Amino acid sequence: MTVIPVDLGTRSYDIVIEDGVLARAGDHLGPIARGRRMVIVADAQVPMHLATLRASLTASGIASEAIEIPAGEGSKSWATLESLLDSLLALGVERGDHIVALGGGVIGDLVGFAAAILKRGCGFVQVPTTLLAQVDSSVGGKTGINTRAGKNLVGSFHQPALVLIDPTTLDTLPAREVRAGYAEVVKYGLIDDPDFFAWCESHGTALLLGDPQARTHAIARSVSAKARIVGADERETTGTRALLNLGHTFGHALEAEAGFDGSLLHGEGVAAGMALAFAYSAEQGLCRAEDAERVAAHLRAAGLPDGLAAAGITASGDTLVGHMLHDKKREGGTLPFLLARGIGQTYLDRSVDLGQVAAFLDRQPR
């Protein structure tokens, strides 16, 4: 078992990583439940994991209720949030209770936001079952929903009380979902850890094929990096946490153009976005063209999109920049971009000319 602390003072919590921990979740949740019932909000596509979790709670003497949410990005909506809040209120959830989010990033974001606003703040626990959620969205307390204007524009910072990661849940995922999550693993190497990116180049295939040691190492390394960054800049006020958005400004624009309909998964958008960020950096003379090609080559080798054509995006540069203007990170009329001086040398640039970005995108193959 690996335990990684997230140091946030009175809001500190642990991330527990262990094969099979889902079946032993009651041992970890008992001190949090304190004799209270726990309500589990689960992705409707993971009934087997829900059954395992509830059995573990029962064995530990913890009563539970379950609410199932339809799978997919479409559930991060006002309508689903309202329905979930009504269900939680109907179950009599109290401020001192903890809600368990069981599923991928959509469930974690939705449940975390519901917990943040229900009775002005309830506790919650993250039990992520996808690689993307395990290495990224379950840690750090960013919660929210999507709106017509864009992705994650309504939400809050609300830290979980505990994160339980069982890598064996990945055995039930479609290969495409695992690949999409792997994009977020690669991201940590590209931000500030070139040795980890080199590890990904050597071991990424093994991870994607389900090698337990490679999988656990990648999760632990990714989570440790995120815990360190979140501990230093919880609410993204100093710019340090913004580094975690590498690939997301481009990627969210691609997702918006795709309509959030599942044709382009979040991790796929991030992969294409990281490749574009490096290609733009190379074009601007910030990093070597060889670095940008190395990033694109690894993403291609992992079966991930490395640009607009591979992501199925044909829109103009102006259209894609138009999506970027709805980005929640926009401030004072400017939009910060994560660019690179090399692999492991990502930095925040607030002076990027959006006209240049549009022209760059227009030059990309479609």
Side-chain angles (χ1 to χ4, degrees):
M1 180 172 68
T2 300
V3 179
I4 298 170
V6 181
D7 186 6
L8 292 170
T10 59
R11 296 180 308 288
S12 296
Y13 55 95
D14 287 335
I15 306 159
V16 178
I17 308 168
E18 184 183 18
D19 282 354
V21 75
L22 188 63
R24 298 182 291 277
D27 297 338
H28 298 278
L29 294 177
I32 292 174
R34 303 189 309 277
R36 295 172 178 262
R37 171 199 59 179
M38 302 196 87
V39 177
I40 305 164
V41 182
D43 185 318
Q45 288 189 332
V46 295
M48 74 298 287
H49 300 325
L50 177 58
T52 300
L53 177 56
R54 295 195 74 180
S56 177
L57 293 178
T58 298
S60 296
I62 304 170
S64 67
E65 301 279 356
I67 299 170
E68 293 193 8
I69 300 292
E73 197 75 24
S75 286
K76 281 179 60 172
S77 66
W78 286 112
T80 307
L81 176 66
E82 180 181 19
S83 175
L84 174 58
L85 290 170
D86 285 342
S87 296
L88 292 169
L89 289 169
L91 288 171
V93 171
E94 298 177 354
R95 184 178 292 182
D97 291 340
H98 283 77
I99 306 163
V100 180
L102 177 68
V106 168
I107 293 297
D109 286 358
L110 175 69
V111 174
F113 188 34
I117 60 178
L118 184 67
K119 298 191 174 179
R120 297 192 174 91
C122 297
F124 84 113
V125 174
Q126 289 271 22
V127 185
T129 61
T130 67
L131 182 58
L132 189 149
Q134 289 176 356
V135 301
D136 187 66
S137 61
S138 66
V139 178
K142 280 188 176 180
T143 72
I145 59 172
N146 302 331
T147 69
R148 290 190 186 93
K151 190 177 175 72
N152 296 329
L153 293 179
V154 176
S156 67
F157 287 95
H158 190 55
Q159 300 293 344
L162 177 69
V163 180
L164 293 180
I165 297 176
D166 185 344
T168 67
T169 60
L170 304 182
D171 293 333
T172 64
L173 282 183
R176 184 186 176 198
E177 291 278 357
V178 177
R179 289 195 300 270
Y182 179 66
E184 296 280 4
V185 173
V186 173
K187 178 186 74 176
Y188 292 104
L190 296 178
I191 290 172
D192 63 0
D193 193 346
D195 289 341
F196 184 48
F197 181 72
W199 181 93
C200 289
E201 291 177 305
S202 300
H203 298 83
T205 298
L207 184 158
L208 292 170
L209 291 175
D211 178 83
Q213 287 185 322
R215 192 163 61 186
T216 299
H217 176 79
I219 294 170
R221 188 85 169 251
S222 300
V223 164
S224 293
K226 183 154 191 184
R228 169 176 52 82
I229 291 171
V230 169
D233 184 16
E234 180 185 3
R235 292 178 175 263
E236 210 168 293
T237 55
T238 68
T240 302
R241 184 166 181 168
L243 296 176
L244 294 168
N245 295 319
L246 175 62
H248 286 60
T249 300
F250 285 107
H252 283 173
L254 306 190
E255 284 185 87
E257 180 61 24
F260 303 112
D261 61 0
S263 61
L264 184 69
L265 300 179
H266 174 65
E268 294 169 340
V270 169
M274 291 190 298
L276 289 168
F278 268 80
Y280 182 78
S281 297
E283 187 178 277
Q284 294 295 308
L286 299 169
C287 75
R288 300 182 306 164
E290 292 88 343
D291 288 336
E293 178 49 36
R294 186 178 164 195
V295 172
H298 182 57
L299 294 172
R300 288 194 300 270
L304 288 163
D306 63 344
L308 298 185
I313 301 297
T314 60
S316 70
D318 283 339
T319 297
L320 295 174
V321 166
H323 291 308
M324 292 178 188
L325 292 175
H326 293 293
D327 195 296
K328 63 184 178 298
K329 297 179 291 299
R330 187 181 181 194
E331 184 177 346
T334 64
L335 183 61
F337 276 78
L338 275 300
L339 302 178
R341 297 188 177 94
I343 291 172
Q345 299 180 61
T346 295
Y347 75 100
L348 184 67
D349 192 326
R350 298 184 183 276
S351 62
V352 173
D353 185 313
L354 293 181
Q356 288 185 350
V357 173
F360 160 77
L361 290 169
D362 281 333
R363 290 191 292 273
Q364 300 308 299
R366 284 166 169 75

